[in-house]
Amino acid sequence: MNRDQMIEELSKIVGKENVLFSETDLLLYGYDASLFKAKPDCIVLPNSTEEVSQIVKFAHREKIPIVARGSGTNLSGGTIPARGGIVIHFSRMNRVLEIDIKNQRAVVEPGVFTLTLKNQLARYGYVYQPDPASERVSTFGGNFGENSGGPHCLKYGVTTNHVLGAEIVLPDGEIIWVGGKALDHPGYDLTGLLVGSEGTLGIATKLVLRIVPKPEAVKTMLAIYNSLEDAGRTVSAIIAEGIVPATLEMLDRLTIKAVEESIHAGFPLDAEAVLLIEIDGLKDGMERLAERIIEICKENRAREVKAARTEEERAQLWAGRKGAFGAVARLRPNYLVCDGTVPRTKLPEVLTRVMEVGKKYNLPIANVFHAGDGNLHPLILFDERNEEELKKVHLAGSEILKICAEAGGTISGEHGIGTEKKKEMFFVFTPKDISAMRKVKRAFDPEDLFNPGKVLPEVQT
Amino acid sequence: MKKEELKAQLYDEIAKCNRCGFCLAVCPVYAAVGKEWATPRGKNALIRAIIEGKIDWTPEIEESLYRCTGCRLCTQTCFPAVETNQGVLAGRECLVEKRLYPQVIDRVVEAIENNFNISNEPNINRTMWMETMEGVPENRFQKEKAEVIYFTGCVASFYPMAHKIPQNLVRIFHRAHVDFTLLGGEEWCCGFPLIQAGMKEKMKTLKEHNEKMVQKVGAKTIVFACPSCYHTWREMYQTDAEPLHSTQFIERLIAEGKIIFQDGRERIVTYHDPCDLGRNSKVFDPPRNILKKIPGVKLVELENNRQLSMCCGGGGDLEMIDPDLSSAIAKRKIEEIQKTGAEEVVTACQQCIRTISGYARKNKIKLKVRDITEVVLEAMSA
Ligand SMILES: Cc1cc2nc3c(=O)[nH]c(=O)nc-3n(C[C@H](O)[C@H](O)[C@H](O)COP(=O)(O)OP(=O)(O)OC[C@H]3O[C@@H](n4cnc5c(N)ncnc54)[C@H](O)[C@@H]3O)c2cc1C
């Protein structure tokens, strides 16, 4: 089918003003927050599940690839139209449909920003726990696609633990429901399968989310270190003691420098590392727990441990953490975020090896990560305009993931595989493992139309 | 502007954009439009693609770059603080050279070139706002030498809806015994609309003329009620006179005991930070300090205030270029105002008043929108 016909058909479904296809628009929907680029054939902005279903039915009939897109903030090329086709942008489907406090559930459309729901819940004293650093702009569709995590996921689990059901448009355009408001559903756990499938199996058009009352009390502490290793050891020591803080985040010297230049978060510039530790729950016993954590920090040679005294101080510390990726662009224009996970006890050793990779390629590396989960985010700093450097960055990124895999970890904590890390899948899976996943993909999408070219590498047979 | 110059000026700045998309959450244009071309990230990507020769100027790029209110909330909340609006304005300069720009702009430029103001009136009518005012002195508030110049601005001078602002401000000056003058027909447009249009080079004559006039009066201070004139002056002009926004000047008059407030009505008031006054010129406290001094006024803040204030939709010539879009942005502003429960929103910009009250009137929303000069004068007279 030629493009004009395609545009005409799609316009019948969503209206002319909601189909974009100029050269300029194709360029604008050809990027996300990763380093990859490719152009779609057109972009549509539906307003309802029914419209999404019709778009997909049309694409299915004509064998046109479909890529779902929220805010395009993913870091792994998840929304890059690798084989062209139609991008479905969900910005118009951004309604919070239901906040059901009594049953602790919320129902949203996929284009709602994560933080928008959270702000609405705050009025009821409720929270949606997952907190990706990008929450103010990431959409629930994107969170669903990537199974996003965040600092508080150490205690509360990642997106999949909070999505209880979804309305899904399948690759043939049929609309189904998986899961629902109840806590457990009989039959196969398709919700679990779809969360984190990066738009390759189904497109979510409504999501049922778990919401919970805000913890009665929180305490946020900043532990300051003269060595990265000591900070790493503290993380293991806290967890080994059976304490599960709400967050255990680490920032290293270079990240601190960038953050402090950007906003004044209150991280000391001469420290090698800081830990951002938050505990939450019942007021009763919280002070005792905090004291114990401070002791552990000190036993592991923390130079100083400070507690946020006011809500503003707490907000400031978190603003620093959440802006860390963006802030490093003050040091060099661009950064590649690696997203490896390692067993917590291996943190100090892996960090040392990561820094060696930086030295080998002569690229600065800043570290800011979910230490409690062993989820590293080495940020390799460079200038995208320098092709030589760009090549080195990809090699260094891959090497870092190899180190994580060798340490018994894995190649993605929360940012997904997308186009970026397909070949690294072999660091952690055998061809047989991949083939098993491929079978699932075929069962849902035999024609390979939903986000083709993502997640699964080709397996030679 | 030529592509080479665009590259020299902005490539390094725009290269800092890593497409993280945090700006999507705050951009008023994206909130209203919902398409990537509306986002600051998209605007940076387009400028970059132009610089790198990946795309040529298109009507869609024109549409994108001319739909920015210049509110700079994107930069405020961007961790590497990418100056997207600088790219947008430079991009417009390139588009102008290609003759790709909204045609309404020609009308304004023509008016400025012919009349030295943005209206169709000859500039001699700059004091027409006095027609509906009582007790205008014979010199029409103009003298050869004065301590203070009040730079009225085009909108307040020529658009009846805004006439109250100069009327009230000169009354305040009069009561506070300020030695001031207007430039009258010798006040020319400050050049702000030309910068926004992408025709910065055309403001040279205006600037030179205004600077000369200020010099001639020998004033120490030059006061603006229009945040955009004030901002333009601060950024582009060089004179010995200190530029002050009316709120800063009034705050000083209060401190010197020259303005004294009588009792006022008990009421809840909220304050909207105009982008060019607040975020872009960093004047946040003077208007608040004034309001707090007025008896009876209880000031409640908008959810997004000061550095994070949301644009009213009227910035950067947007109301002229795309009134529907401007009005969609105003809608969000009004919803935010209504959430405070305040019966009255005070601001310090004729354009903000125009956009907010214009939307409210068209949509039959009951809302009192007032300039701070009106509130001050009322409290002085109470
Ligand atoms: C500065 C920065 C910080 C970040 N911090 C974190 C972090 O702390 N934790 C974290 O986990 N991630 C983080 N991310 C990555 C990213 O923000 C998350 O993956 C986020 O969930 C993506 O949301 P989005 O709306 O931008 O999705 P998009 O990027 O638009 O899409 C992401 C994936 O989801 C799919 N998708 C989109 N909508 C749907 C739908 N309706 N149905 C099915 N699939 C869909 C897409 O096809 C794509 O594969 C960060 C990114 C940046 C740039």
Side-chain angles (χ1 to χ4, degrees):
Chain A
M1 165 172 270
N2 72 31
R3 212 174 65 154
D4 291 349
Q5 271 173 301
M6 174 165 90
I7 287 154
E8 200 184 310
E9 290 299 318
L10 291 169
S11 299
K12 279 187 209 153
I13 303 171
V14 294
K16 238 168 86 180
E17 66 285 7
N18 293 309
V19 183
L20 308 174
F21 51 86
S22 73
E23 240 348 90
T24 310
D25 286 305
L26 302 187
L27 185 134
L28 287 165
Y29 284 88
Y31 58 72
D32 51 26
S34 74
L35 296 173
F36 295 86
K37 289 182 185 74
K39 282 183 187 172
D41 294 306
C42 73
I43 302 97
V44 283
L45 296 100
N47 196 25
S48 67
T49 304
E50 196 41 50
E51 287 181 6
V52 176
S53 161
Q54 284 182 42
I55 296 162
V56 174
K57 276 185 182 153
F58 161 76
H60 184 246
R61 210 165 52 231
E62 302 294 335
K63 308 279 169 279
I64 304 168
I66 295 257
V67 181
R69 180 178 171 108
S71 291
T73 69
N74 76 86
L75 295 158
S76 50
T79 44
I80 300 302
R83 302 209 185 129
I86 301 168
V87 166
I88 302 185
H89 183 192
F90 280 107
S91 63
R92 295 174 68 216
M93 289 177 67
N94 63 351
R95 286 154 286 227
V96 173
L97 299 173
E98 195 186 336
I99 293 180
D100 179 355
I101 294 293
K102 281 212 184 99
N103 294 303
Q104 305 198 334
R105 299 289 180 263
V107 184
V108 298
E109 289 187 325
V112 174
F113 294 151
T114 315
L115 193 61
T116 302
L117 175 71
K118 288 187 171 188
N119 286 342
Q120 292 191 18
L121 291 175
R123 267 179 267 149
Y124 304 93
Y126 266 65
V127 282
Y128 167 77
Q129 284 293 359
D131 57 344
S134 52
E135 65 184 357
R136 74 163 146 147
V137 65
S138 73
T139 65
F140 280 103
N143 293 168
F144 175 93
E146 301 288 359
N147 190 16
S148 299
H152 285 79
C153 295
L154 171 62
K155 178 169 177 182
Y156 293 101
V158 289
T159 300
T160 193
N161 306 109
H162 301 266
V163 176
L164 297 169
E167 182 186 67
I168 299 288
V169 173
L170 292 171
D172 60 3
E174 292 303 324
I175 304 166
I176 62 160
W177 265 95
V178 296
K181 281 192 171 181
L183 200 53
D184 191 16
H185 280 267
Y188 297 134
D189 178 15
L190 293 185
T191 319
L193 175 61
L194 284 157
V195 175
S197 65
E198 303 190 29
T200 62
L201 304 178
I203 291 176
T205 45
K206 286 192 186 85
L207 298 100
V208 181
L209 309 170
R210 180 211 309 272
I211 56 174
V212 293
K214 213 174 123 196
E216 188 182 282
V218 261
K219 196 163 176 77
T220 311
M221 290 163 281
L222 184 74
I224 302 161
Y225 293 85
N226 289 332
S227 109
L228 205 58
E229 287 74 35
D230 290 339
R233 264 190 289 276
T234 306
V235 173
S236 299
I238 290 175
I239 307 271
E241 188 111 346
I243 301 171
V244 185
T247 77
L248 249 179
E249 299 285 301
M250 198 190 297
L251 291 81
D252 75 355
R253 187 188 191 102
L254 202 52
T255 313
I256 292 170
K257 177 168 183 286
V259 168
E260 286 299 311
E261 270 180 34
S262 178
I263 60 164
H264 187 66
F267 303 146
L269 282 167
D270 62 341
E272 280 305 321
V274 295
L275 286 178
L276 192 51
I277 309 170
E278 189 163 284
I279 48 177
D280 66 8
L282 297 176
K283 231 191 224 120
D284 236 18
M286 181 155 289
E287 281 310 315
R288 229 176 27 245
L289 186 60
E291 272 161 33
R292 182 61 201 130
I293 290 175
I294 293 172
E295 259 171 44
I296 300 174
C297 295
K298 296 253 163 85
E299 283 161 20
N300 287 281
R301 310 205 303 171
R303 184 171 98 189
E304 193 190 344
V305 188
K306 293 198 283 197
R309 280 158 305 182
T310 60
E311 184 51 37
E312 284 81 62
E313 274 184 22
R314 172 174 182 258
Q316 203 58 12
L317 288 173
W318 279 113
R321 166 61 187 89
K322 293 196 173 153
F325 288 6
V328 296
R330 289 181 180 249
L331 306 175
R332 296 296 313 278
N334 305 104
Y335 55 85
L336 176 78
V337 190
C338 307
D339 177 34
T341 299
V342 298
R344 250 180 322 259
T345 47
K346 294 277 174 71
L347 273 178
E349 168 195 332
V350 170
L351 280 172
T352 311
R353 290 186 64 194
V354 165
M355 296 318 270
E356 278 163 13
V357 173
K359 282 205 199 85
K360 171 172 162 194
Y361 288 97
N362 193 21
L363 291 166
I365 295 185
N367 282 290
V368 43
F369 56 97
H370 313 309
D373 287 329
N375 186 184
L376 296 176
H377 287 329
L379 301 164
I380 313 179
L381 311 187
F382 68 109
D383 187 338
E384 208 180 342
R385 296 170 294 180
N386 179 335
E387 274 176 40
E388 207 41 44
E389 240 178 42
L390 185 59
K391 260 187 238 149
K392 285 201 300 190
V393 164
H394 284 297
L395 290 174
S398 186
E399 224 163 279
I400 287 173
L401 295 182
K402 181 111 202 165
I403 292 169
C404 295
E406 280 169 7
T410 188
I411 58 168
S412 171
E414 54 185 24
H415 297 166
I417 301 303
T419 25
E420 188 194 21
K421 289 189 289 201
K422 269 178 11 182
K423 68 176 189 313
E424 283 79 8
M425 285 288 268
F426 288 119
F427 293 173
V428 281
F429 294 113
T430 65
K432 264 195 233 157
D433 300 338
I434 303 281
S435 298
M437 290 191 234
R438 175 77 66 195
K439 279 184 194 151
V440 174
K441 168 74 173 165
R442 290 222 178 92
F444 274 82
D445 184 15
E447 273 108 343
D448 198 16
L449 295 174
F450 268 17
N451 214 356
K454 304 293 168 70
V455 187
L456 300 179
E458 294 307 322
V459 175
Q460 254 83 31
T461 41
Chain B
M1 188 185 283
K2 295 263 187 289
K3 207 165 93 180
E4 296 68 44
E5 215 179 317
L6 185 68
K7 180 170 179 179
Q9 278 187 22
L10 284 149
Y11 199 21
D12 284 343
E13 184 61 29
I14 276 165
K16 290 189 299 185
C17 174
N18 281 269
R19 301 171 298 278
C20 80
F22 278 30
C23 52
L24 274 66
V26 298
C27 174
V29 181
Y30 180 65
V33 171
K35 292 170 183 156
E36 187 71 20
W37 65 252
T39 66
R41 169 175 73 182
K43 288 166 180 153
N44 287 327
L46 291 175
I47 299 280
R48 180 169 187 157
I50 289 277
I51 289 175
E52 292 177 346
K54 300 212 165 101
I55 195 167
D56 209 349
W57 297 105
T58 62
E60 289 80 17
I61 299 183
E62 176 206 318
E63 183 175 12
S64 164
L65 296 188
Y66 276 97
R67 274 152 194 80
C68 167
T69 66
C71 79
R72 287 183 66 259
L73 187 52
C74 52
T75 306
Q76 180 69 44
T77 50
C78 168
F79 280 88
V82 177
E83 282 288 355
T84 304
N85 188 245
Q86 280 179 14
V88 164
L89 293 179
R92 289 180 188 176
E93 287 187 49
C94 297
L95 284 161
V96 165
E97 201 159 291
K98 302 264 163 198
R99 298 208 57 75
L100 267 173
Y101 59 89
Q103 292 314 303
V104 280
I105 286 177
D106 279 337
R107 214 194 54 222
V108 179
V109 174
E110 205 183 292
I112 293 176
E113 283 180 339
N114 293 337
N115 308 328
F116 308 115
N117 69 61
I118 60 169
S119 79
N120 293 322
E121 300 277 343
N123 207 39
I124 193 75
N125 291 350
R126 230 180 227 278
T127 53
M128 64 189 267
W129 51 270
M130 294 177 202
E131 304 311 324
T132 51
M133 191 179 168
E134 274 168 30
V136 176
E138 206 143 308
N139 69 1
R140 294 177 83 76
F141 304 109
Q142 289 160 69
K143 45 192 187 185
E144 269 178 29
K145 296 277 168 198
E147 291 268 300
V148 175
I149 293 171
Y150 167 32
F151 194 95
T152 334
C154 296
V155 177
S157 301
F158 294 102
Y159 294 84
M161 233 181 92
H163 282 172
K164 268 202 280 185
I165 295 175
Q167 290 175 356
N168 291 331
L169 195 55
V170 295
R171 283 195 188 109
I172 294 171
F173 285 171
H174 179 72
R175 293 232 203 142
H177 305 291
V178 176
D179 172 26
F180 79 100
T181 181
L182 308 175
L183 296 177
E186 294 300 341
E187 176 188 314
W188 290 4
C189 169
C190 70
F192 173 83
L194 296 172
I195 301 175
Q196 296 304 312
M199 304 177 185
K200 195 164 79 191
E201 80 293 342
K202 284 199 163 89
M203 73 175 276
K204 194 162 168 271
T205 35
L206 305 176
K207 174 174 172 281
E208 285 169 4
H209 173 86
N210 285 329
E211 283 172 349
K212 207 167 78 206
M213 287 305 132
V214 170
Q215 211 65 26
K216 218 168 106 185
V217 173
K220 285 209 202 86
T221 311
I222 169 160
V223 175
F224 305 83
C226 168
S228 299
C229 296
Y230 169 63
H231 181 64
T232 305
W233 200 280
R234 277 188 23 160
E235 297 281 307
M236 316 286 292
Y237 281 65
Q238 288 93 31
T239 50
D240 295 335
E242 181 191 19
L244 286 180
H245 184 257
S246 54
T247 51
Q248 295 171 304
F249 193 69
I250 290 172
E251 192 190 22
R252 284 189 195 176
L253 293 176
I254 296 173
E256 290 164 8
K258 292 184 179 152
I259 288 182
I260 295 162
F261 294 126
Q262 318 292 325
D263 274 345
R265 262 181 318 114
E266 296 276 331
R267 63 203 203 271
I268 299 174
V269 166
T270 189
Y271 175 73
H272 160 68
D273 288 281
C275 304
D276 274 337
L277 184 62
R279 195 159 37 243
N280 297 342
S281 303
K282 302 198 170 52
V283 178
F284 299 111
D285 289 322
R288 290 179 168 79
N289 293 343
I290 295 170
L291 289 172
K292 283 180 197 153
K293 286 254 160 65
I294 295 180
V297 166
K298 183 169 178 277
L299 179 66
V300 291
E301 291 287 354
L302 290 163
E303 190 178 324
N304 302 290
N305 56 61
R306 293 177 174 259
Q307 290 91 335
L308 299 180
S309 168
M310 261 171 26
C311 179
C312 70
D317 288 357
L318 188 71
E319 201 208 346
M320 170 178 86
I321 292 165
D322 191 339
D324 290 343
L325 177 56
S326 170
S327 157
I329 298 173
K331 177 168 184 271
R332 287 179 68 229
K333 184 80 233 181
I334 287 184
E335 284 163 4
E336 193 196 24
I337 293 167
Q338 287 175 321
K339 264 200 239 156
T340 63
E343 53 199 283
E344 182 177 324
V345 54
V346 176
T347 187
C349 169
Q350 76 292 331
Q351 182 60 48
C352 297
I353 294 183
R354 194 180 143 95
T355 343
I356 299 171
S357 60
Y359 183 90
R361 203 176 48 246
K362 265 183 239 138
N363 294 281
K364 305 204 165 44
I365 296 167
K366 218 178 129 233
L367 182 67
K368 215 184 223 175
V369 191
R370 301 168 87 198
D371 190 79
I372 192 154
T373 46
E374 183 182 337
V375 179
V376 166
L377 184 70
E378 179 189 76
M380 287 168 81
S381 328

